[in-house]
Amino acid sequence: MVWAQNTPAEVAIKDKLDKFSLTSNIDPKQKEARLLELKAESEKLGYDLGILISGNYLIKLYGRQYRYKEQLRLGDQLKKVAKNKKDTYGYISGIYQSTSLALGYLGLNDASLKDLKKAISYAETIEDRDTRLYQLSVCYENMALNYELKRGGDINLLRDSLLYTYKKSLEMAKQVSDNSEAIRKNVKYDHIAYTYMRLGMLYLEPEDTKENLESAEKYLLEGLKIHESKKYEIPVDNRIMMLNQVSWLYLEKKEYHKSIDYAERALKLENVNKNPAHRVESFEFLADSYREIGDKEKSGFYMDKYTYLKDSLSLAEKKEADITMKKMVKEVNDENKQSSKKQWMITGILALIAGLITAILWRKKNKALR
């Protein structure tokens, strides 16, 4: 299906969404309210492109806030709208990427991989070169994240695959033109910085050898350089994440005062842009660093906060995973019931046809005998 914007109302919604994409660091609650409003306007008009664009932004927002249940519920709606449509602008691929990640974080790896393959198949059909490269780069990055979630914390499993996949993602992202009209420079470099961060984290996880720490520092500081540059506007949420990983780096390097500095900077930003998953990381690095410099009081203070918040998040994640699993099981059962009904209907129809044919033949035979 080729996209078309025929009515002034549809053009107005597209313009609002285009302007919306150019702004960053909006309060998440305001952002969500505005996107829901534009999505509702699009639904009222039957404007599918507007639904997919606003939905794509919303589903990514939910992902950054770890609202996986809402991500998947919205994803189900958007996939129905996207059915039999061409992914001209890359929004459909983006939706499948988001649901793939949500499923992966909930431990549903097979379902996650299925959605990721769908995202790649859509991304490969995108006509604009920069959009295609960017979406495929994100897919490669998500594939690496899928590997990481699947290996269950064992760094020795799939290590070479992870390095290859992240570096492939980085290579594709760097090919996107800085002058692209489709992929803004802020979006490109935010993605590149994030991939540098993931590579840095990959080197921080195994044994703290000199080589591993040097590689981790190289990649993390490359990403941090992008975040601190005035050339780009990076979302606050991603800046918090980067600061926490740099704090982790200096904790491993035993430069504890630097680790404290970066974790405190992350917490300060998190006070403005609330996200408990980032807060719990900052608490952990602060507790460990203060313990190492002998400040037991501050270490205990942050450890108490870390333990309470960590337990709360684990409980919430488990509850969400259980709900999602039950929903998926119900969908499979419903499909099986529908399939069984169809089979019974087909069997009944065939039996009826066979009966009619038998009756006709019997009547003909009797007529011939008479």
Side-chain angles (χ1 to χ4, degrees):
M1 175 182 173
V2 178
W3 297 105
Q5 293 160 222
N6 299 319
T7 69
E10 290 175 353
V11 173
I13 289 173
K14 181 69 165 60
D15 287 344
K16 288 174 187 175
L17 286 165
D18 288 343
K19 287 174 185 174
F20 186 89
S21 71
L22 294 171
T23 57
S24 62
N25 300 331
I26 306 172
D27 176 74
K29 287 184 179 178
Q30 291 179 359
K31 187 182 287 188
E32 182 181 359
R34 186 67 182 125
L35 285 169
L36 286 169
E37 185 183 312
L38 289 168
K39 181 173 173 285
E41 285 179 30
S42 300
E43 287 168 342
K44 191 175 179 181
L45 293 168
Y47 178 37
D48 288 350
L49 180 59
I51 295 168
L52 291 173
I53 298 173
S54 54
N56 183 53
Y57 291 151
L58 266 173
I59 207 169
K60 291 184 188 306
L61 176 65
Y62 292 156
R64 285 194 291 271
Q65 296 173 340
Y66 305 91
R67 294 160 64 182
Y68 303 131
K69 187 169 65 175
E70 286 157 283
Q71 257 191 309
L72 294 172
R73 186 166 56 238
L74 176 59
D76 286 343
Q77 296 173 19
L78 298 173
K79 286 172 187 176
K80 288 172 185 173
V81 176
K83 194 173 181 181
N84 299 323
K85 290 183 172 64
K86 188 177 178 183
D87 194 18
T88 308
Y89 306 103
Y91 298 116
I92 301 174
S93 175
I95 288 159
Y96 275 96
Q97 288 163 24
S98 295
T99 55
S100 169
L101 278 180
L103 290 162
Y105 281 123
L106 291 170
L108 306 171
N109 292 312
D110 291 340
S112 171
L113 191 58
K114 183 182 175 183
D115 272 18
L116 183 56
K117 286 178 178 177
K118 193 79 174 173
I120 292 169
S121 69
Y122 271 114
E124 286 172 340
T125 67
I126 298 169
E127 291 175 11
D128 178 74
R129 179 180 179 274
D130 290 323
T131 305
R132 184 173 64 253
L133 280 168
Y134 174 76
Q135 290 296 345
L136 285 171
S137 173
V138 175
C139 285
Y140 270 104
E141 185 180 89
N142 289 351
M143 188 175 289
L145 284 168
N146 186 278
Y147 288 156
E148 289 203 54
L149 293 165
K150 202 167 187 176
R151 67 188 164 89
D154 187 346
I155 191 63
N156 296 312
L157 294 172
L158 303 170
R159 183 182 175 84
D160 290 340
S161 297
L162 286 165
L163 286 171
Y164 169 79
T165 313
Y166 278 127
K167 287 178 180 178
K168 185 74 176 174
S169 173
L170 200 58
E171 175 194 323
M172 293 183 120
K174 286 181 176 179
Q175 291 179 60
V176 175
S177 170
D178 281 359
N179 300 316
S180 170
E181 291 182 7
I183 306 300
R184 292 179 296 111
K185 196 187 291 187
N186 289 340
V187 172
K188 171 187 171 179
Y189 283 96
D190 177 33
H191 175 63
I192 288 173
Y194 184 81
T195 310
Y196 275 133
M197 184 188 75
R198 297 301 310 187
L199 278 164
M201 291 166 69
L202 195 57
Y203 281 102
L204 278 178
E205 287 183 351
E207 187 183 352
D208 291 339
T209 62
K210 183 183 176 184
E211 292 77 15
N212 280 339
L213 288 175
E214 283 177 353
S215 295
E217 187 167 31
K218 179 184 86 171
Y219 286 120
L220 285 169
L221 294 186
E222 279 293 326
L224 185 65
K225 194 190 299 180
I226 292 171
H227 280 242
E228 293 183 336
S229 170
K230 292 181 179 178
K231 293 179 185 177
Y232 319 112
E233 288 183 29
I234 305 294
V236 176
D237 202 62
N238 293 354
R239 285 165 59 197
I240 297 168
M241 205 184 308
M242 178 65 76
L243 290 169
N244 271 332
Q245 306 324 307
V246 176
S247 174
W248 179 21
L249 166 71
Y250 288 118
L251 176 64
E252 299 297 330
K253 288 191 75 179
K254 298 180 171 47
E255 296 180 34
Y256 302 118
H257 289 286
K258 275 190 176 182
S259 178
I260 289 167
D261 176 54
Y262 281 103
E264 285 180 341
R265 284 169 61 184
L267 267 185
K268 189 176 179 181
L269 280 177
E270 197 275 337
N271 281 331
V272 179
N273 202 71
K274 300 290 185 184
N275 191 320
H278 295 327
R279 197 184 323 142
V280 78
E281 271 199 320
S282 301
F283 289 157
E284 181 183 8
F285 300 142
L286 285 166
D288 289 347
S289 294
Y290 276 117
R291 185 186 66 244
E292 293 296 337
I293 63 173
D295 193 330
K296 292 181 182 178
E297 186 180 344
K298 283 188 177 177
S299 177
F301 172 78
Y302 285 114
M303 183 51 72
D304 288 344
K305 284 182 170 291
Y306 165 77
T307 304
Y308 177 78
L309 188 53
K310 182 74 173 175
D311 290 344
S312 300
L313 287 172
S314 297
L315 188 65
E317 282 178 12
K318 184 180 183 303
K319 185 178 177 183
E320 201 152 291
D322 288 344
I323 291 167
T324 304
M325 181 60 82
K326 285 176 184 175
K327 180 177 179 292
M328 291 180 72
V329 168
K330 184 180 180 300
E331 285 173 356
V332 170
N333 288 338
D334 289 345
E335 284 177 12
N336 289 337
K337 284 178 184 176
Q338 288 296 324
S339 179
S340 296
K341 282 180 183 177
K342 285 178 184 176
Q343 286 175 359
W344 279 110
M345 284 175 68
I346 291 166
T347 303
I349 291 165
L350 288 173
L352 181 62
I353 292 169
L356 287 169
I357 291 169
T358 302
I360 291 165
L361 290 173
W362 182 78
R363 285 180 65 188
K364 281 185 176 180
K365 185 179 178 182
N366 279 351
K367 187 177 180 182
L369 286 170
R370 285 197 297 273

